[in-house]
Amino acid sequence: MRTFLHYYLQAFKNIAKHSSVFTTMVLATLLYGFFYPTAYQAQRAESIPIVIVDEEHSQLTNAIISTAAESPNIEIKKVTVNFAEAEHMLKNQQAEGILYLPSNLSTSLRRGENGGIGLYLSAAYLIRLKEAGTGLAQAIGGVASDYAAKYSQISHFKVEPSIHMVSLFNPLSGYGSYIFPAVAPLIVHQTILLGFTMLITSYRERKWKPNTTEFFANFACAVTIGSLACLYLFGFIFWLYDYPRGGNFWGMLLAVPIFIAAVSAMSMLLASFLDVPERASHLLVISSIPLFLLSGLAWPHQAMPELLQILAWMLPSTSGIHTFVQLNQMGVSTAVVLPKLLYLIGFTFISLSLAYWRLVLQTHKK
């Protein structure tokens, strides 16, 4: 035990001495935790510019325009009678949407005729598209319902009751509350994978021949740093930015070392194939976006080719991201994520065994 503790503490000292490794494994997580969520503090896009084409100039259309003006989602840039002018503004990105109020709108509602309000939205930015559409739909629905109710005795036209949607696990429907809890495990994954791979490769560059105790002491050091990074992000940072958190606290505590052990084992295995530490950054820096896309949170797995689905679930990052989103935000029981945890344990055993064979057994044979 004393020998293990010596190598364990020595691994921390080696990380502190190696500036690139220390920056990647320790400082990067601290900085990412503050700066990454800052860009999404507003949570939702507001004041989306729109133009309104009002051909009727009636009491109804004035009410719709007034209600739309009160919505925080949208900002009315111009009210015009010329649809071509509004279309020109949309094409030139001066507005994100057009609300078209035709000349026969009031008559259509009273008679229950087909046709009516037109809504044209730019799909260049999906988040802005969603907020603009939500703001306009709320303004139109409320006013149209009140207007139709006045003529309910002489018209068969009825406006269906509006549905007020509230996200179950993201009450603010905020982009930050969606993206950062999913990215946080990937941040730890990448910092440990890159930093620890660089550390082990730097050992190998100096003809490192570890014994069993030293091998597992370095592995334990990486697991410790990664676990503390997870607790820092899932605890302090989630609290600081008020993200949904704490759904299954004990399940999260169980899953953290299992996930980090899988990443650390993969790092040691990968390092056994590299000749210089810089090679790790060449291979791994470009992998963050593909790993997130393969996680299935940006684009559902069901919409991916079957081969990509298989590849995605082979990666520990996919199981880790889904596990922590389910535990932290959704509050599922540990039994629900148990298959993912068992896969990570199996992945750790296989990767660590191969790494031990290459780094310990083979080096002592030479």
CSV table of all heavy atoms in Angstrom, one decimal, residues 203-250:
chain,number,residue,atom,x,y,z
A,203,TYR,N,5.8,9.4,-20.6
A,203,TYR,CA,6.5,8.4,-19.9
A,203,TYR,C,7.2,7.4,-20.9
A,203,TYR,O,8.4,7.1,-20.8
A,203,TYR,CB,5.6,7.5,-19.1
A,203,TYR,CG,5.0,8.2,-17.8
A,203,TYR,CD1,3.9,7.6,-17.2
A,203,TYR,CD2,5.5,9.4,-17.4
A,203,TYR,CE1,3.4,8.2,-16.0
A,203,TYR,CE2,5.0,10.0,-16.2
A,203,TYR,CZ,3.9,9.4,-15.6
A,203,TYR,OH,3.3,10.0,-14.5
A,204,ARG,N,6.4,7.0,-21.9
A,204,ARG,CA,7.0,6.0,-22.9
A,204,ARG,C,8.1,6.6,-23.7
A,204,ARG,O,9.0,5.9,-24.1
A,204,ARG,CB,5.8,5.6,-23.8
A,204,ARG,CG,4.7,4.8,-23.2
A,204,ARG,CD,3.7,4.2,-24.2
A,204,ARG,NE,4.4,3.2,-25.0
A,204,ARG,CZ,4.5,3.3,-26.3
A,204,ARG,NH1,4.1,4.4,-26.9
A,204,ARG,NH2,5.1,2.4,-27.0
A,205,GLU,N,8.0,7.9,-23.9
A,205,GLU,CA,9.1,8.6,-24.6
A,205,GLU,C,10.4,8.5,-23.9
A,205,GLU,O,11.5,8.5,-24.5
A,205,GLU,CB,8.7,10.1,-24.8
A,205,GLU,CG,9.5,10.8,-25.9
A,205,GLU,CD,9.0,12.2,-26.1
A,205,GLU,OE1,8.3,12.8,-25.2
A,205,GLU,OE2,9.3,12.8,-27.2
A,206,ARG,N,10.3,8.4,-22.5
A,206,ARG,CA,11.5,8.2,-21.7
A,206,ARG,C,11.8,6.7,-21.4
A,206,ARG,O,12.4,6.4,-20.4
A,206,ARG,CB,11.4,9.0,-20.4
A,206,ARG,CG,11.2,10.5,-20.6
A,206,ARG,CD,11.3,11.3,-19.3
A,206,ARG,NE,10.4,10.9,-18.3
A,206,ARG,CZ,9.2,11.5,-18.1
A,206,ARG,NH1,8.8,12.5,-19.0
A,206,ARG,NH2,8.4,11.1,-17.2
A,207,LYS,N,11.3,5.8,-22.2
A,207,LYS,CA,11.5,4.4,-22.1
A,207,LYS,C,10.9,3.9,-20.7
A,207,LYS,O,11.6,3.1,-20.0
A,207,LYS,CB,13.0,4.0,-22.2
A,207,LYS,CG,13.7,4.6,-23.4
A,207,LYS,CD,13.0,4.1,-24.7
A,207,LYS,CE,13.7,4.7,-25.9
A,207,LYS,NZ,13.1,4.3,-27.2
A,208,TRP,N,9.7,4.3,-20.4
A,208,TRP,CA,9.0,3.9,-19.2
A,208,TRP,C,8.8,2.4,-19.1
A,208,TRP,O,8.2,1.8,-20.1
A,208,TRP,CB,7.8,4.7,-19.1
A,208,TRP,CG,7.0,4.6,-17.8
A,208,TRP,CD1,7.4,4.7,-16.5
A,208,TRP,CD2,5.5,4.3,-17.7
A,208,TRP,NE1,6.4,4.5,-15.7
A,208,TRP,CE2,5.2,4.3,-16.4
A,208,TRP,CE3,4.5,4.1,-18.7
A,208,TRP,CZ2,3.9,4.0,-15.9
A,208,TRP,CZ3,3.3,3.9,-18.2
A,208,TRP,CH2,2.9,3.8,-16.9
A,209,LYS,N,9.1,1.8,-18.0
A,209,LYS,CA,8.8,0.3,-17.8
A,209,LYS,C,8.2,0.2,-16.5
A,209,LYS,O,8.8,-0.1,-15.5
A,209,LYS,CB,10.1,-0.5,-17.9
A,209,LYS,CG,10.7,-0.5,-19.3
A,209,LYS,CD,11.9,-1.5,-19.4
A,209,LYS,CE,12.5,-1.6,-20.8
A,209,LYS,NZ,13.6,-2.5,-20.9
A,210,PRO,N,6.9,0.4,-16.4
A,210,PRO,CA,6.2,0.4,-15.1
A,210,PRO,C,6.0,-1.0,-14.6
A,210,PRO,O,5.9,-2.0,-15.4
A,210,PRO,CB,4.8,1.0,-15.4
A,210,PRO,CG,4.6,0.6,-16.9
A,210,PRO,CD,5.9,0.6,-17.5
A,211,ASN,N,5.9,-1.1,-13.3
A,211,ASN,CA,5.5,-2.4,-12.7
A,211,ASN,C,4.0,-2.3,-12.5
A,211,ASN,O,3.4,-1.3,-12.8
A,211,ASN,CB,6.2,-2.7,-11.4
A,211,ASN,CG,6.1,-1.5,-10.4
A,211,ASN,OD1,5.1,-0.9,-10.3
A,211,ASN,ND2,7.2,-1.2,-9.7
A,212,THR,N,3.4,-3.4,-12.0
A,212,THR,CA,2.0,-3.4,-11.8
A,212,THR,C,1.5,-2.3,-10.9
A,212,THR,O,0.4,-1.7,-11.2
A,212,THR,CB,1.5,-4.8,-11.3
A,212,THR,OG1,2.0,-5.8,-12.2
A,212,THR,CG2,0.0,-4.9,-11.1
A,213,THR,N,2.1,-2.1,-9.8
A,213,THR,CA,1.7,-1.1,-8.8
A,213,THR,C,1.7,0.3,-9.4
A,213,THR,O,0.8,1.1,-9.3
A,213,THR,CB,2.6,-1.1,-7.6
A,213,THR,OG1,2.6,-2.4,-7.0
A,213,THR,CG2,2.1,-0.1,-6.5
A,214,GLU,N,2.8,0.6,-10.2
A,214,GLU,CA,2.9,2.0,-10.8
A,214,GLU,C,1.8,2.1,-11.9
A,214,GLU,O,1.3,3.2,-12.0
A,214,GLU,CB,4.3,2.1,-11.4
A,214,GLU,CG,4.5,3.6,-11.9
A,214,GLU,CD,5.9,3.7,-12.4
A,214,GLU,OE1,6.7,2.7,-12.5
A,214,GLU,OE2,6.3,4.9,-12.8
A,215,PHE,N,1.6,1.1,-12.6
A,215,PHE,CA,0.5,1.2,-13.7
A,215,PHE,C,-0.8,1.5,-13.1
A,215,PHE,O,-1.5,2.5,-13.5
A,215,PHE,CB,0.5,-0.2,-14.4
A,215,PHE,CG,-0.6,-0.3,-15.4
A,215,PHE,CD1,-0.4,0.1,-16.7
A,215,PHE,CD2,-1.9,-0.8,-15.1
A,215,PHE,CE1,-1.4,0.0,-17.7
A,215,PHE,CE2,-2.9,-0.9,-16.0
A,215,PHE,CZ,-2.6,-0.5,-17.3
A,216,PHE,N,-1.2,0.8,-12.0
A,216,PHE,CA,-2.5,1.1,-11.4
A,216,PHE,C,-2.6,2.3,-10.6
A,216,PHE,O,-3.6,2.9,-10.5
A,216,PHE,CB,-3.0,-0.1,-10.6
A,216,PHE,CG,-3.5,-1.3,-11.4
A,216,PHE,CD1,-2.6,-2.4,-11.7
A,216,PHE,CD2,-4.7,-1.3,-12.1
A,216,PHE,CE1,-3.1,-3.5,-12.4
A,216,PHE,CE2,-5.1,-2.3,-12.9
A,216,PHE,CZ,-4.3,-3.4,-13.0
A,217,ALA,N,-1.4,2.8,-10.1
A,217,ALA,CA,-1.4,4.0,-9.4
A,217,ALA,C,-1.7,5.2,-10.3
A,217,ALA,O,-2.4,6.2,-10.0
A,217,ALA,CB,-0.1,4.2,-8.7
A,218,ASN,N,-1.1,5.2,-11.5
A,218,ASN,CA,-1.3,6.2,-12.5
A,218,ASN,C,-2.8,6.2,-12.9
A,218,ASN,O,-3.4,7.2,-13.1
A,218,ASN,CB,-0.4,6.0,-13.7
A,218,ASN,CG,1.0,6.7,-13.4
A,218,ASN,OD1,1.2,7.8,-13.7
A,218,ASN,ND2,1.9,5.8,-12.9
A,219,PHE,N,-3.3,5.0,-13.1
A,219,PHE,CA,-4.7,4.8,-13.5
A,219,PHE,C,-5.6,5.4,-12.4
A,219,PHE,O,-6.6,6.2,-12.7
A,219,PHE,CB,-5.0,3.4,-13.7
A,219,PHE,CG,-6.5,3.0,-13.9
A,219,PHE,CD1,-7.1,3.3,-15.1
A,219,PHE,CD2,-7.3,2.5,-12.9
A,219,PHE,CE1,-8.5,3.1,-15.3
A,219,PHE,CE2,-8.6,2.2,-13.1
A,219,PHE,CZ,-9.2,2.5,-14.3
A,220,ALA,N,-5.3,5.2,-11.2
A,220,ALA,CA,-6.1,5.7,-10.0
A,220,ALA,C,-6.0,7.2,-10.0
A,220,ALA,O,-7.0,7.9,-9.6
A,220,ALA,CB,-5.7,5.1,-8.7
A,221,CYS,N,-4.9,7.8,-10.3
A,221,CYS,CA,-4.7,9.2,-10.3
A,221,CYS,C,-5.6,9.9,-11.3
A,221,CYS,O,-6.3,10.9,-11.0
A,221,CYS,CB,-3.2,9.6,-10.6
A,221,CYS,SG,-2.9,11.3,-10.8
A,222,ALA,N,-5.7,9.3,-12.5
A,222,ALA,CA,-6.5,9.8,-13.6
A,222,ALA,C,-8.0,9.7,-13.2
A,222,ALA,O,-8.8,10.7,-13.4
A,222,ALA,CB,-6.3,9.1,-14.9
A,223,VAL,N,-8.4,8.6,-12.6
A,223,VAL,CA,-9.8,8.4,-12.1
A,223,VAL,C,-10.1,9.5,-11.1
A,223,VAL,O,-11.2,10.0,-11.1
A,223,VAL,CB,-10.0,7.0,-11.6
A,223,VAL,CG1,-11.4,6.9,-10.9
A,223,VAL,CG2,-9.9,6.0,-12.7
A,224,THR,N,-9.2,9.8,-10.2
A,224,THR,CA,-9.4,10.7,-9.1
A,224,THR,C,-9.7,12.1,-9.7
A,224,THR,O,-10.6,12.8,-9.4
A,224,THR,CB,-8.2,10.8,-8.2
A,224,THR,OG1,-8.0,9.5,-7.6
A,224,THR,CG2,-8.5,11.8,-7.0
A,225,ILE,N,-8.8,12.5,-10.6
A,225,ILE,CA,-8.9,13.9,-11.2
A,225,ILE,C,-10.2,14.0,-12.0
A,225,ILE,O,-10.9,15.0,-11.9
A,225,ILE,CB,-7.7,14.2,-12.1
A,225,ILE,CG1,-6.4,14.3,-11.2
A,225,ILE,CG2,-7.9,15.5,-12.9
A,225,ILE,CD1,-5.2,14.5,-12.0
A,226,GLY,N,-10.5,13.0,-12.8
A,226,GLY,CA,-11.7,13.0,-13.6
A,226,GLY,C,-13.0,13.0,-12.8
A,226,GLY,O,-14.0,13.7,-13.1
A,227,SER,N,-13.0,12.2,-11.7
A,227,SER,CA,-14.1,12.2,-10.8
A,227,SER,C,-14.4,13.5,-10.1
A,227,SER,O,-15.5,14.0,-10.0
A,227,SER,CB,-14.0,11.1,-9.7
A,227,SER,OG,-13.9,9.8,-10.3
A,228,LEU,N,-13.3,14.2,-9.7
A,228,LEU,CA,-13.4,15.5,-9.1
A,228,LEU,C,-13.9,16.5,-10.1
A,228,LEU,O,-14.7,17.4,-9.8
A,228,LEU,CB,-12.1,15.9,-8.5
A,228,LEU,CG,-11.6,15.2,-7.3
A,228,LEU,CD1,-10.2,15.6,-6.9
A,228,LEU,CD2,-12.6,15.4,-6.1
A,229,ALA,N,-13.5,16.4,-11.4
A,229,ALA,CA,-13.9,17.3,-12.4
A,229,ALA,C,-15.4,17.1,-12.6
A,229,ALA,O,-16.2,18.1,-12.8
A,229,ALA,CB,-13.2,17.0,-13.7
A,230,CYS,N,-15.9,15.9,-12.6
A,230,CYS,CA,-17.4,15.6,-12.8
A,230,CYS,C,-18.2,16.2,-11.7
A,230,CYS,O,-19.2,16.9,-11.9
A,230,CYS,CB,-17.6,14.1,-12.9
A,230,CYS,SG,-17.2,13.4,-14.5
A,231,LEU,N,-17.7,16.0,-10.4
A,231,LEU,CA,-18.4,16.6,-9.3
A,231,LEU,C,-18.4,18.1,-9.3
A,231,LEU,O,-19.4,18.7,-8.9
A,231,LEU,CB,-17.8,16.1,-8.0
A,231,LEU,CG,-17.8,14.6,-7.8
A,231,LEU,CD1,-17.1,14.2,-6.5
A,231,LEU,CD2,-19.2,14.1,-7.8
A,232,TYR,N,-17.3,18.7,-9.8
A,232,TYR,CA,-17.3,20.2,-9.9
A,232,TYR,C,-18.3,20.7,-10.9
A,232,TYR,O,-19.0,21.6,-10.7
A,232,TYR,CB,-15.8,20.5,-10.4
A,232,TYR,CG,-15.7,21.9,-10.9
A,232,TYR,CD1,-15.7,23.1,-10.1
A,232,TYR,CD2,-15.5,22.1,-12.3
A,232,TYR,CE1,-15.6,24.3,-10.7
A,232,TYR,CE2,-15.3,23.4,-12.8
A,232,TYR,CZ,-15.4,24.5,-12.0
A,232,TYR,OH,-15.2,25.7,-12.6
A,233,LEU,N,-18.4,20.0,-12.1
A,233,LEU,CA,-19.4,20.4,-13.1
A,233,LEU,C,-20.8,20.1,-12.7
A,233,LEU,O,-21.7,21.0,-12.8
A,233,LEU,CB,-19.0,19.8,-14.4
A,233,LEU,CG,-17.7,20.2,-15.1
A,233,LEU,CD1,-17.5,19.4,-16.4
A,233,LEU,CD2,-17.7,21.7,-15.4
A,234,PHE,N,-21.0,18.9,-12.3
A,234,PHE,CA,-22.4,18.4,-12.0
A,234,PHE,C,-22.9,19.1,-10.7
A,234,PHE,O,-24.1,19.2,-10.5
A,234,PHE,CB,-22.5,16.9,-11.8
A,234,PHE,CG,-22.0,16.2,-13.0
A,234,PHE,CD1,-21.6,14.8,-12.9
A,234,PHE,CD2,-22.0,16.8,-14.3
A,234,PHE,CE1,-21.2,14.1,-14.0
A,234,PHE,CE2,-21.6,16.1,-15.4
A,234,PHE,CZ,-21.2,14.8,-15.3
A,235,GLY,N,-22.0,19.5,-9.8
A,235,GLY,CA,-22.4,20.1,-8.6
A,235,GLY,C,-22.4,21.6,-8.6
A,235,GLY,O,-23.4,22.3,-8.7
A,236,PHE,N,-21.2,22.2,-8.5
A,236,PHE,CA,-21.0,23.6,-8.4
A,236,PHE,C,-21.5,24.4,-9.6
A,236,PHE,O,-22.2,25.4,-9.5
A,236,PHE,CB,-19.5,24.0,-8.1
A,236,PHE,CG,-19.3,25.4,-8.0
A,236,PHE,CD1,-19.8,26.2,-7.0
A,236,PHE,CD2,-18.5,26.1,-9.0
A,236,PHE,CE1,-19.5,27.6,-6.9
A,236,PHE,CE2,-18.3,27.4,-9.0
A,236,PHE,CZ,-18.8,28.2,-7.9
A,237,ILE,N,-21.0,24.0,-10.8
A,237,ILE,CA,-21.4,24.7,-12.0
A,237,ILE,C,-22.9,24.6,-12.3
A,237,ILE,O,-23.5,25.6,-12.7
A,237,ILE,CB,-20.5,24.2,-13.2
A,237,ILE,CG1,-19.1,24.5,-13.0
A,237,ILE,CG2,-21.0,24.9,-14.5
A,237,ILE,CD1,-18.7,26.0,-12.9
A,238,PHE,N,-23.5,23.4,-12.2
A,238,PHE,CA,-24.9,23.3,-12.4
A,238,PHE,C,-25.7,24.2,-11.5
A,238,PHE,O,-26.7,24.8,-11.8
A,238,PHE,CB,-25.4,21.9,-12.2
A,238,PHE,CG,-25.1,21.0,-13.4
A,238,PHE,CD1,-24.2,21.4,-14.5
A,238,PHE,CD2,-25.7,19.7,-13.5
A,238,PHE,CE1,-24.0,20.6,-15.6
A,238,PHE,CE2,-25.4,18.9,-14.6
A,238,PHE,CZ,-24.6,19.3,-15.6
A,239,TRP,N,-25.2,24.3,-10.2
A,239,TRP,CA,-25.9,25.1,-9.2
A,239,TRP,C,-25.6,26.6,-9.6
A,239,TRP,O,-26.6,27.4,-9.5
A,239,TRP,CB,-25.3,24.8,-7.8
A,239,TRP,CG,-25.7,25.9,-6.8
A,239,TRP,CD1,-26.8,26.0,-6.1
A,239,TRP,CD2,-24.8,27.0,-6.4
A,239,TRP,NE1,-26.8,27.1,-5.3
A,239,TRP,CE2,-25.6,27.8,-5.5
A,239,TRP,CE3,-23.5,27.4,-6.7
A,239,TRP,CZ2,-25.1,28.9,-4.9
A,239,TRP,CZ3,-23.0,28.6,-6.1
A,239,TRP,CH2,-23.8,29.3,-5.2
A,240,LEU,N,-24.4,27.0,-10.0
A,240,LEU,CA,-24.1,28.4,-10.3
A,240,LEU,C,-24.9,28.9,-11.4
A,240,LEU,O,-25.4,30.1,-11.3
A,240,LEU,CB,-22.6,28.5,-10.6
A,240,LEU,CG,-22.1,29.9,-10.9
A,240,LEU,CD1,-22.1,30.8,-9.7
A,240,LEU,CD2,-20.6,29.8,-11.5
A,241,TYR,N,-25.2,28.1,-12.4
A,241,TYR,CA,-26.0,28.6,-13.6
A,241,TYR,C,-27.4,28.1,-13.5
A,241,TYR,O,-28.2,28.3,-14.5
A,241,TYR,CB,-25.3,28.1,-14.9
A,241,TYR,CG,-24.0,28.8,-15.2
A,241,TYR,CD1,-22.8,28.3,-14.8
A,241,TYR,CD2,-24.0,30.1,-15.8
A,241,TYR,CE1,-21.6,29.0,-15.0
A,241,TYR,CE2,-22.8,30.8,-16.1
A,241,TYR,CZ,-21.6,30.2,-15.7
A,241,TYR,OH,-20.5,30.9,-15.9
A,242,ASP,N,-27.8,27.5,-12.4
A,242,ASP,CA,-29.2,27.1,-12.2
A,242,ASP,C,-29.7,26.1,-13.3
A,242,ASP,O,-30.8,26.3,-13.7
A,242,ASP,CB,-30.1,28.3,-12.1
A,242,ASP,CG,-31.4,28.0,-11.4
A,242,ASP,OD1,-31.4,27.0,-10.6
A,242,ASP,OD2,-32.4,28.7,-11.6
A,243,TYR,N,-28.9,25.1,-13.6
A,243,TYR,CA,-29.3,24.1,-14.5
A,243,TYR,C,-30.1,23.0,-13.8
A,243,TYR,O,-29.8,22.8,-12.6
A,243,TYR,CB,-28.1,23.5,-15.3
A,243,TYR,CG,-27.4,24.4,-16.2
A,243,TYR,CD1,-26.1,24.4,-16.4
A,243,TYR,CD2,-28.2,25.4,-17.0
A,243,TYR,CE1,-25.4,25.3,-17.3
A,243,TYR,CE2,-27.5,26.2,-17.9
A,243,TYR,CZ,-26.2,26.2,-18.0
A,243,TYR,OH,-25.6,27.0,-18.9
A,244,PRO,N,-31.0,22.3,-14.4
A,244,PRO,CA,-31.6,21.2,-13.7
A,244,PRO,C,-30.6,20.2,-13.2
A,244,PRO,O,-29.7,19.8,-13.9
A,244,PRO,CB,-32.5,20.6,-14.9
A,244,PRO,CG,-32.7,21.7,-15.8
A,244,PRO,CD,-31.5,22.5,-15.8
A,245,ARG,N,-30.7,19.8,-12.0
A,245,ARG,CA,-29.7,19.0,-11.4
A,245,ARG,C,-30.2,18.2,-10.2
A,245,ARG,O,-31.4,18.4,-9.7
A,245,ARG,CB,-28.6,19.9,-10.8
A,245,ARG,CG,-29.1,20.9,-9.8
A,245,ARG,CD,-28.1,22.0,-9.5
A,245,ARG,NE,-28.6,22.9,-8.5
A,245,ARG,CZ,-29.4,23.9,-8.8
A,245,ARG,NH1,-29.8,24.1,-10.0
A,245,ARG,NH2,-29.8,24.7,-7.8
A,246,GLY,N,-29.4,17.3,-9.7
A,246,GLY,CA,-29.7,16.5,-8.5
A,246,GLY,C,-30.9,15.6,-8.6
A,246,GLY,O,-31.5,15.2,-7.6
A,247,GLY,N,-31.2,15.1,-9.8
A,247,GLY,CA,-32.3,14.2,-9.9
A,247,GLY,C,-32.1,12.9,-9.2
A,247,GLY,O,-33.0,12.4,-8.5
A,248,ASN,N,-30.9,12.3,-9.4
A,248,ASN,CA,-30.6,11.0,-8.7
A,248,ASN,C,-29.1,11.2,-8.2
A,248,ASN,O,-28.2,10.8,-8.9
A,248,ASN,CB,-30.7,9.8,-9.6
A,248,ASN,CG,-30.4,8.5,-8.9
A,248,ASN,OD1,-29.9,8.5,-7.8
A,248,ASN,ND2,-30.8,7.4,-9.5
A,249,PHE,N,-28.9,11.8,-7.1
A,249,PHE,CA,-27.6,12.2,-6.6
A,249,PHE,C,-26.8,10.9,-6.3
A,249,PHE,O,-25.6,10.9,-6.8
A,249,PHE,CB,-27.8,13.0,-5.3
A,249,PHE,CG,-26.4,13.3,-4.7
A,249,PHE,CD1,-25.7,14.3,-5.2
A,249,PHE,CD2,-26.0,12.7,-3.5
A,249,PHE,CE1,-24.4,14.7,-4.6
A,249,PHE,CE2,-24.8,13.0,-3.0
A,249,PHE,CZ,-24.0,14.0,-3.5
A,250,TRP,N,-27.3,9.9,-5.7
A,250,TRP,CA,-26.5,8.7,-5.3
A,250,TRP,C,-26.2,7.9,-6.6
A,250,TRP,O,-25.1,7.3,-6.7
A,250,TRP,CB,-27.2,7.9,-4.3
A,250,TRP,CG,-27.4,8.6,-3.0
A,250,TRP,CD1,-28.6,9.1,-2.5
A,250,TRP,CD2,-26.4,9.0,-2.1
A,250,TRP,NE1,-28.4,9.7,-1.3
A,250,TRP,CE2,-27.0,9.7,-1.0
A,250,TRP,CE3,-25.0,8.8,-2.0
A,250,TRP,CZ2,-26.3,10.2,0.0
A,250,TRP,CZ3,-24.3,9.3,-1.0
A,250,TRP,CH2,-24.9,10.0,0.1
